[in-house]
Amino acid sequence: MGGLLLIKLCLIIICKPFVICQQIKGDGIIFHYNNTYMYNVPYVVYVSKNTEYIMEFAGDQDVYDTPARVTVASDFANRTYPLFITARQQKGVFSWQLPMLVQTPVSLEQFTNISRTLCPHNNIFSEDEDTCDVSSLNTPIVHLTSSSPDPIMVTIMVETVQDFYIKLNKPTNLTSTPSQPKYYFYPFDQGPNRMVDLRAQSIKRKHVCNKELDEAERRTLDRYFVQSNLEQNYGWFSRPKSVILMIESDDDICAVVSIQNFSCPVFDNERDILYDGYYLTMTRRGGITLTQDTFPLGFYIVFIVKTSDEDCTASTGNASIPRVARLLGWDEALSPSGQDSRLKEFRFKIIQTISYQEYMIAAGAALAFFLSFYVAFIIAVLCQRKKSRDSSTESSQSEEGQVSGSRRRPLARRRRAINASVGTAGSSGNGRSAGTTDHSSMSDTESDDFGDNAIREQGDYLPGAKLCVANLSRCRPRVLSARSKMYLWNVLTVAVFYTLPVVQLVVTYQRLLNQSGNQDLCYFNFLCAHPLMVLSDFNHVYSNLGYVLLGALFLVQVWRRHQRHRHHSPHEKELGIPQHFGLLYAMGVALVSEGLLSAAYHVCPNSMNFQFDTSFMYVTAVLCMVKIYQSRHPDINARAHATFGVLALIIFLGLVGVLNANFYFWVAFTVLHLVTCLVMTFQIYYLGRFRLDGAVVWRAARELVSRPRAAITPARCGRCVLLLLANLANWAIAAYGVVQHGRDFASHLLLVLMSNLFLYTLFYIAMKLLHRESIRWYSWVFIALTYSVWFGSSYFYLDLSTNWALTPAESRRNNRVCSLLQLYDSHDVWHFLSSTAMFFSFNMYLTIDDNLAAVPRTQIMVF
C-alpha cells in the first residue's frame, strides 16, 4: 500500500510539468506566417490575443516601381481591445491602430477603416545605388495583433498606388478622409517631353544599376538621351526653376496639404507634418509655388483631411452641446464613424511657372513705365526753359522800342498801390508795415494773434462780408517757413523710427516662414506669388516701386519750384497763394515711405502687420487735406505737432480696430466720426473762425431768438450745399460701417479719410469756379487724370485675391492666377495705379492755384 502511494506520487511529480507545458502550449500565441500574399487581393483574417498574423506581400517586378498602400478595416475592434497594425520594409516601420480615435471640439469620433501609403524607398527617380535591389526594398510585411479574447475579423489589402508620379500640367483627382491620407510624388526631371515616362525612367534606372538591357530597352534609352540633348536651352535666364501646385475642391471640409522633400519617412498625419517641409490649410482652393532649389529631385504632396473645420473657419461649433451632454451623463459621446461625412474630393495640377527671363521682362516693364514719368518731366522742363528764353527775348525787344518814362511811371504807381494795399492789410493786425525788417525770433507764438484778431478788427464776422487771403497772410515769411519745415522734419522722424522696426519684424516673419514651413503665417495670393531669393512673394514687394520712384520725382518737382520761388523778388513773393514748401516736401516723403512700408508689409502680409500698409496712407490723406486748407488759410493753418498728434490718434484707432473691432467699438468710432465731421463743417463754413467751447450753444440760441430768419437762412448758399452733400456722404459711410462692423477696420478708416479728401478736393475746385477763378489747362489735365486713375484703381483694390480678416483657408478661396505679364495680379495693378493716382493728385495740389501767381492777395477770396 505504501509502495502504491509512492508510485502515484512519483507519477504526479513526473507528469505535472508535462501537463503544465501542454497548458502553456495550448494557451500560447499562434503565429500565422505566410509569404504568398499577393497585391490587390483582399484577405479576411481573425486576430485575437492568441492569434497573430505576419503577412508578407509579394508581387510582380512592375509593382515595385510604385509604393504600396495598406488598407485595414475592422468593425469589431473597439477601444478596449484595439487592433494594432505594423507594416515594415527594409528601411522603415509604420504602425497604427483600429479604431482610430480622434477628439473633435464637440465629440469623440472613431474610424474603423484606415489606409496608409508606405514610403517608396525604391523611388525610380533616386540616384542612390542602394535602391537597385528593388525586390528586397519594397516588399511590405504586415503584422496584425490584438489583446481581444474573442477573434476579431479583419479585412486587409495591399495595392499599388495609381498615378503616383505626377505629370506636369495633368489634372489628378483623388478622395481622402481623416483616416485615409494620400500622397503623390512630383519629380522635377520630367523628361524631354515634360512628361513622366515611367518605362524610360525604369530603363534608365537599370542602366544606372549596371543591369543588362535588351535591344528594345537600349533603343529606348538612346532615344531618351538624344531627345534630352536636343532639348532647347537658352541659358540660365530661361530655365524654369519653380512650379505652382494648384488645388481645388467642391466642398468646405477642412484639409491640410503638406509638401515634403524626397526622403523617408513621409509624414501623413496632422501631428507629424509640422516637422518637415511646408504645409497649409484649405477648403475649396489652395496653392503654393515650389522651387527646385528647395526640392532638388522633387517633392511629395500629402493630402490630409482634418477631423474638424475649426482650423479653417475659426468656429468651434456649439460649445453648449458637450456641456449639456455631460449634465445628462453622455460624457463620452461617440460618433461611430465620421469617415463618410468627412469624405473630401481633391483636384490638383502642377503647372510650370515663369522663367527668370520672364521675371526680368515683367520687372523691366514696370520700371520703364515709372521712368517714363521722369522722361516726361525732363521734356517739360526743357520746353519750359525754351519758352522762358523766347518770352524774355520778346520782352526785351519790346522794352527797347518803348519810351522808358511813359511806361515805367504807371507801372511804378501800380506796384506802389499793390504794396500799399498789402501793407495796410498787414499793419491792421500787428501795428507794423509788411515791409518792416524783422529781427525777432522765429517761434510760432509770434503770429498767434494775426488771424482772428485782425479779422475781428475789420468786422468781417458780419454776414456777407468778404474775406481775402491778405487778411490771413500776416505771418512773417521766416515764421511761415519754419512752420512749414516742421512738417518735413516730423514726417522724416516718424518715417525713420516707424520703418526700421517694421523691416526688422517682417524679416523675422520671413525667416520664421522659411524655418517652420507654416504657409498660414502669411496671406499671400499663392496662385500668383513668385519667389525670388529670400522673398516668398517678390512681385507684390516689387510692385511698390512706383510709390518710391514717383515720390522721389515729386520731391524733385517741389525742389525745383522752391528754387524758382527763392529767386523771386520780394514783390513777387507777396502775390498769389502763400507757399508752404515744407508741407509739400512732407507729402513727397510720405509717398516714398508708403512704398517702403507697403513693400515691407507684403513680405509677410497678415492681420498683425496690416497697419504697416495703411499708416502712411493715413498720413498722406491728412497732409493733403492740410495742404488744401493751407492754400486759403495760411496763418491759421494747423501746427505740425497738432497734425501729427491727430495722426497718432488715427493710427491708434486703427490699431485698436484691428485687434478688437467689436460692435461697441464701431459705435464709438461712428460717433467720433460724425462729431468730427460736424465740427469741421462749421470750421469750413465759417472760414476757420468757428470756436467750439462751452458757450457755443448759448450763442446759437441767442442768435436764433434775436434773428430767427437770419440764423436759419444760410449766408453762403453754395458752400452750404457742398458741405451738406459732404455730410450726407459721411453719414452713408458711417452707416455702412456700423451695419457691416467687420474685422477689417483699417480699410474702413482709410475709406473715411480718402473719401473726405476727394470730397474736400472737389469742394475746393467747385469754390474756385464759383468765385470765377480760372484753372490752368495742365491743372485740368491733372484733375482729370487723378479722378480717372483713382476710380480705375478702386476696381482693382476691391478685387480682393486675399483677405487677412478671414482665416488663411478662407482667404485662399479668393486666390487667383496672375493677370498681367504672368507676374502681377490685381493687387499689383492696384499698386501701380494708386501710386500713379497719388502722383497726379500731388501735382494737382501743386499747380491748381498757378493761375493766381500774379494776383494780389487782396483779390483772392478765402473759402
Side-chain angles (χ1 to χ4, degrees):
M1 191 67 179
L4 182 59
L5 292 175
L6 182 60
I7 293 172
K8 290 182 178 180
L9 181 61
C10 291
L11 289 174
I12 292 174
I13 296 174
I14 295 172
C15 295
K16 190 64 176 177
F18 180 78
V19 174
I20 294 175
C21 290
Q22 290 294 328
Q23 291 177 354
I24 293 176
K25 181 178 179 180
D27 296 337
I29 300 175
I30 302 174
F31 292 95
H32 292 274
Y33 173 78
N34 197 330
N35 61 355
T36 61
Y37 295 101
M38 303 301 296
Y39 276 69
N40 304 315
V41 177
Y43 295 96
V44 178
V45 296
Y46 293 87
V47 181
S48 65
K49 67 176 182 179
N50 297 324
T51 305
E52 297 183 4
Y53 278 83
I54 301 177
M55 311 172 70
E56 181 176 351
F57 289 80
D60 299 331
Q61 187 73 14
D62 294 338
V63 302
Y64 298 134
D65 289 336
T66 55
R69 183 170 179 83
V70 180
T71 302
V72 181
S74 177
D75 294 331
F76 300 95
N78 52 58
R79 290 184 298 162
T80 305
Y81 300 109
L83 173 69
F84 296 97
I85 306 102
T86 302
R88 61 182 177 88
Q89 293 172 288
Q90 180 175 335
K91 293 185 178 180
V93 177
F94 309 89
S95 61
W96 60 96
Q97 72 179 45
L98 276 179
M100 185 180 78
L101 303 177
V102 178
Q103 179 65 56
T104 65
V106 296
S107 64
L108 183 66
E109 294 187 355
Q110 64 178 7
F111 298 89
T112 60
N113 189 328
I114 295 181
S115 295
R116 302 289 291 272
T117 302
L118 305 183
C119 187
H121 296 278
N122 63 314
N123 195 316
I124 61 176
F125 290 89
S126 174
E127 298 180 358
D128 187 4
E129 295 183 359
D130 293 338
T131 62
C132 289
D133 187 8
V134 296
S135 61
S136 62
L137 284 173
N138 207 33
T139 303
I141 301 175
V142 182
H143 186 191
L144 304 176
T145 181
S146 175
S147 299
S148 174
D150 300 321
I152 298 175
M153 187 178 71
V154 180
T155 302
I156 182 172
M157 183 173 66
V158 176
E159 56 189 340
T160 57
V161 180
Q162 301 296 324
D163 299 327
F164 180 74
Y165 297 101
I166 302 303
K167 299 178 181 180
L168 193 67
N169 299 319
K170 180 183 179 182
T172 303
N173 300 322
L174 73 141
T175 57
S176 180
T177 65
S179 63
Q180 297 178 344
K182 294 182 180 180
Y183 62 85
Y184 299 83
F185 180 75
Y186 174 80
F188 273 104
D189 183 11
Q190 292 279 300
N193 57 354
R194 301 297 179 195
M195 299 290 286
V196 178
D197 190 347
L198 296 182
R199 183 172 182 273
Q201 196 68 31
S202 299
I203 296 173
K204 179 183 175 183
R205 183 56 177 275
K206 292 175 66 176
H207 175 71
V208 173
C209 294
N210 298 319
K211 294 184 178 181
E212 290 294 333
L213 302 177
D214 57 26
E215 189 63 26
E217 291 175 339
R218 190 172 298 279
R219 286 197 303 268
T220 302
L221 185 64
D222 293 340
R223 191 183 310 115
Y224 178 87
F225 287 134
V226 169
Q227 291 176 349
S228 298
N229 293 331
L230 292 178
E231 184 180 2
Q232 291 183 349
N233 188 2
Y234 298 100
W236 180 81
F237 285 106
S238 63
R239 287 202 303 269
K241 291 291 184 179
S242 57
V243 295
I244 299 178
L245 170 62
M246 306 172 63
I247 314 167
E248 292 185 350
S249 179
D250 295 331
D251 54 65
D252 294 321
I253 298 175
C254 185
V256 180
V257 179
S258 175
I259 310 298
Q260 301 177 28
N261 210 340
F262 177 60
S263 62
C264 286
V266 178
F267 301 110
D268 58 354
N269 59 70
E270 295 185 36
R271 296 183 300 274
D272 295 340
I273 60 172
L274 306 178
Y275 304 108
D276 187 45
Y278 302 147
Y279 62 93
L280 56 93
T281 58
M282 63 160 289
T283 54
R284 291 182 176 266
R285 182 173 296 173
I288 186 173
T289 300
L290 303 162
T291 63
Q292 193 171 5
D293 296 334
T294 307
F295 306 97
L297 295 179
F299 51 84
Y300 292 109
I301 312 166
V302 186
F303 297 90
I304 304 172
V305 179
K306 297 184 73 68
T307 55
S308 69
D309 298 328
E310 181 181 5
D311 292 337
C312 293
T313 61
S315 61
T316 58
N318 190 355
S320 62
I321 294 178
R323 189 179 304 112
V324 173
R326 286 194 296 269
L327 293 175
L328 297 177
W330 304 337
D331 190 16
E332 296 182 354
L334 283 176
S335 176
S337 179
Q339 56 195 20
D340 294 337
S341 60
R342 304 292 298 177
L343 179 66
K344 186 174 183 65
E345 297 182 356
F346 296 91
R347 297 183 305 274
F348 73 94
K349 180 174 65 173
I350 296 179
I351 63 174
Q352 182 174 289
T353 186
I354 62 176
S355 63
Y356 290 145
Q357 183 181 21
E358 291 166 320
Y359 267 74
M360 295 185 64
I361 292 174
L367 180 61
F369 172 74
F370 292 114
L371 290 182
S372 64
F373 288 89
Y374 283 79
V375 175
F377 171 71
I378 294 173
I379 294 175
V381 170
L382 294 178
C383 294
Q384 190 175 15
R385 286 184 178 180
K386 184 178 182 300
K387 184 178 179 181
S388 299
R389 286 196 300 267
D390 295 341
S391 61
S392 61
T393 303
E394 292 178 0
S395 62
S396 62
Q397 290 176 355
S398 62
E399 288 180 358
E400 291 177 357
Q402 295 175 353
V403 181
S404 60
S406 61
R407 300 299 182 190
R408 290 176 182 174
R409 282 193 296 270
L411 180 63
R413 286 197 299 269
R414 183 167 178 262
R415 287 180 177 176
R416 283 196 298 270
I418 294 175
N419 291 334
S421 63
V422 174
T424 303
S427 60
S428 63
N430 55 7
R432 295 196 301 267
S433 172
T436 304
T437 305
D438 180 18
H439 300 286
S440 60
S441 172
M442 293 171 55
S443 65
D444 290 350
T445 57
E446 295 185 13
S447 60
D448 285 344
D449 297 332
F450 289 161
D452 285 350
N453 290 343
I455 301 168
R456 194 178 298 113
E457 290 177 7
Q458 293 183 0
D460 195 58
Y461 276 97
L462 297 177
K466 299 295 183 181
L467 182 64
C468 61
V469 173
N471 300 123
L472 301 181
S473 59
R474 314 296 182 80
C475 183
R476 288 181 290 276
R478 289 198 308 166
V479 177
L480 189 65
S481 177
R483 285 185 185 178
S484 183
K485 287 181 180 179
M486 288 301 297
Y487 281 96
L488 175 60
W489 298 124
N490 275 274
V491 76
L492 281 174
T493 303
V494 171
V496 171
F497 283 93
Y498 198 83
T499 304
L500 292 179
V502 168
V503 172
Q504 179 183 0
L505 178 62
V506 296
V507 168
T508 304
Y509 268 122
Q510 183 66 65
R511 290 179 178 177
L512 181 61
L513 176 67
N514 296 335
Q515 293 173 1
S516 66
N518 184 4
Q519 301 299 300
D520 290 350
L521 291 176
C522 306
Y523 285 71
F524 298 134
N525 177 12
F526 289 92
L527 299 182
C528 187
H530 297 281
L532 184 65
M533 295 185 291
V534 298
L535 296 176
S536 300
D537 192 7
F538 164 76
N539 50 299
H540 285 88
V541 175
Y542 179 78
S543 60
N544 290 279
L545 179 70
Y547 296 103
V548 179
L549 292 181
L550 296 183
L553 179 58
F554 181 74
L555 289 174
V556 174
Q557 291 179 264
V558 175
W559 176 83
R560 184 173 178 271
R561 181 169 288 229
H562 194 189
Q563 295 302 313
R564 291 174 55 190
H565 185 267
R566 286 179 176 176
H567 292 89
H568 286 173
S569 63
H571 166 68
E572 291 175 330
K573 292 182 179 179
E574 295 294 332
L575 301 177
I577 298 294
Q579 297 297 317
H580 285 226
F581 289 103
L583 182 56
L584 294 172
Y585 283 124
M587 291 165 57
V589 172
L591 184 56
V592 174
S593 302
E594 168 60 26
L596 296 176
L597 286 172
S598 180
Y601 162 73
H602 283 285
V603 171
C604 182
N606 54 58
S607 60
M608 291 297 100
N609 57 9
F610 180 72
Q611 63 269 26
F612 302 158
D613 189 35
T614 56
S615 293
F616 266 85
M617 290 293 288
Y618 304 154
V619 174
T620 303
V622 171
L623 289 179
C624 289
M625 285 188 279
V626 172
K627 171 64 180 69
I628 299 173
Y629 190 79
Q630 166 268 334
S631 299
R632 305 291 168 148
H633 308 80
D635 284 0
I636 60 175
N637 197 12
R639 305 296 195 273
H641 60 271
T643 301
F644 280 90
V646 173
L647 283 169
L649 176 61
I650 292 174
I651 294 175
F652 174 75
L653 290 175
L655 173 64
V656 176
V658 169
L659 295 178
N660 187 23
N662 54 31
F663 178 76
Y664 300 103
F665 173 81
W666 276 97
V667 171
F669 172 77
T670 302
V671 173
L672 178 62
H673 173 202
L674 296 179
V675 170
T676 303
C677 289
L678 184 63
V679 173
M680 294 304 299
T681 298
F682 282 112
Q683 285 287 345
I684 295 173
Y685 182 80
Y686 289 107
L687 307 176
R689 293 170 291 170
F690 176 76
R691 291 179 300 172
L692 182 62
D693 52 22
V696 64
V697 179
W698 167 251
R699 292 197 302 268
R702 184 180 59 186
E703 289 292 327
L704 187 62
V705 172
S706 61
R707 298 184 301 172
R709 184 175 180 180
I712 297 176
T713 304
R716 304 169 179 87
C717 293
R719 184 181 294 118
C720 179
V721 171
L722 293 174
L723 291 174
L724 181 61
L725 293 176
N727 275 272
L728 290 176
N730 276 275
W731 276 87
I733 295 173
Y736 173 79
V738 172
V739 171
Q740 294 294 325
H741 62 274
R743 186 185 174 194
D744 192 2
F745 172 78
S747 295
H748 178 78
L749 183 58
L750 181 62
L751 174 64
V752 171
L753 293 175
M754 296 301 292
S755 299
N756 280 278
L757 173 60
F758 292 156
L759 292 173
Y760 195 18
T761 304
L762 289 175
F763 169 82
Y764 189 83
I765 295 172
M767 293 303 295
K768 280 180 68 71
L769 298 178
L770 289 175
H771 286 79
R772 298 182 179 180
E773 295 181 1
S774 62
I775 299 177
R776 297 287 176 86
W777 66 269
Y778 50 83
S779 295
W780 278 117
V781 172
F782 285 129
I783 292 172
L785 289 174
T786 294
Y787 284 94
S788 299
V789 179
W790 269 124
F791 286 129
S793 63
S794 62
Y795 168 79
F796 295 97
Y797 180 77
L798 297 175
D799 187 25
L800 296 177
S801 57
T802 61
N803 190 351
W804 59 263
L806 305 175
T807 63
E810 292 172 336
S811 176
R812 285 188 178 89
R813 298 177 61 174
N814 300 324
N815 289 174
R816 285 187 293 274
V817 297
C818 301
S819 55
L820 180 64
L821 297 176
Q822 302 182 67
L823 185 66
Y824 307 112
D825 64 357
S826 59
H827 195 75
D828 292 314
V829 178
W830 152 256
H831 285 163
F832 296 146
L833 294 181
S834 62
S835 59
T836 305
M838 293 179 72
F839 177 72
F840 288 148
S841 302
F842 288 2
N843 279 274
M844 175 183 64
Y845 300 135
L846 185 66
T847 63
I848 194 170
D849 288 320
D850 282 358
N851 62 300
L852 303 176
V855 178
R857 293 173 185 171
T858 54
Q859 301 177 15
I860 303 175
M861 294 296 104
V862 175
F863 47 79

